[in-house]
Amino acid sequence: VQLQASGGGLVQPGGSLRLSCAASGSIFSINAMGWYRQTPGKARELVAVIGSGGSVNYADSVKGRFTISRDNAKNTMYLQMNSLKPEDTAVYYCNANIIRVDAYYGMDYWGKGTQVTVSS
């Protein structure tokens, strides 16, 4: 099982980016999926999480600006980021709790990070 994140880049303050995270491999089902971010010298922090049924939660710092969604048919999660601020600059990681076809319970998987830089 692998998670592949994409969509990062350089954007000006006030701009938008859309991150994607695709899960692949021997997947039976996917439970919760989430986006985290990390800056140098700081702990990784939760940005947003979405349950298998679509329930969502956001960090206070991104509420009203970021939207998390998922397409279960494609095993893919998205993060639409609007009104970006310099303090949103970080490496963004995707996470998913996945039940493999040969397993009875879910395990956490992480994708490689994608850099988001908000700067003029």
Side-chain angles (χ1 to χ4, degrees):
V1 172
Q2 290 185 333
L3 293 179
Q4 181 66 50
S6 61
L10 173 64
V11 63
Q12 292 186 341
S16 298
L17 279 176
R18 189 193 196 206
L19 305 183
S20 298
C21 175
S24 62
S26 301
I27 298 170
F28 176 72
S29 66
I30 303 178
N31 296 320
M33 304 181 79
W35 290 97
Y36 293 74
R37 65 187 181 187
Q38 188 170 23
T39 55
K42 292 189 177 181
R44 193 171 295 186
E45 64 173 359
L46 176 67
V47 176
V49 61
I50 184 167
S52 57
S55 60
V56 299
N57 275 296
Y58 297 95
D60 288 343
S61 59
V62 306
K63 281 181 181 177
R65 300 187 297 120
F66 290 11
T67 302
I68 189 171
S69 61
R70 62 190 285 174
D71 184 334
N72 291 330
K74 296 181 179 180
N75 289 337
T76 301
M77 170 181 62
Y78 306 96
L79 185 68
Q80 178 65 43
M81 305 185 293
N82 299 329
S83 302
L84 282 161
K85 304 176 181 180
E87 51 263 43
D88 294 318
T89 296
V91 178
Y92 284 71
Y93 297 89
C94 60
N95 167 271
N97 187 272
I98 297 173
I99 303 175
R100 293 167 51 102
V101 294
D102 58 352
Y104 294 101
Y105 53 87
M107 293 181 61
D108 274 353
Y109 292 86
W110 290 90
K112 293 183 180 179
T114 183
Q115 176 71 46
V116 171
T117 302
V118 184
S119 175
S120 55

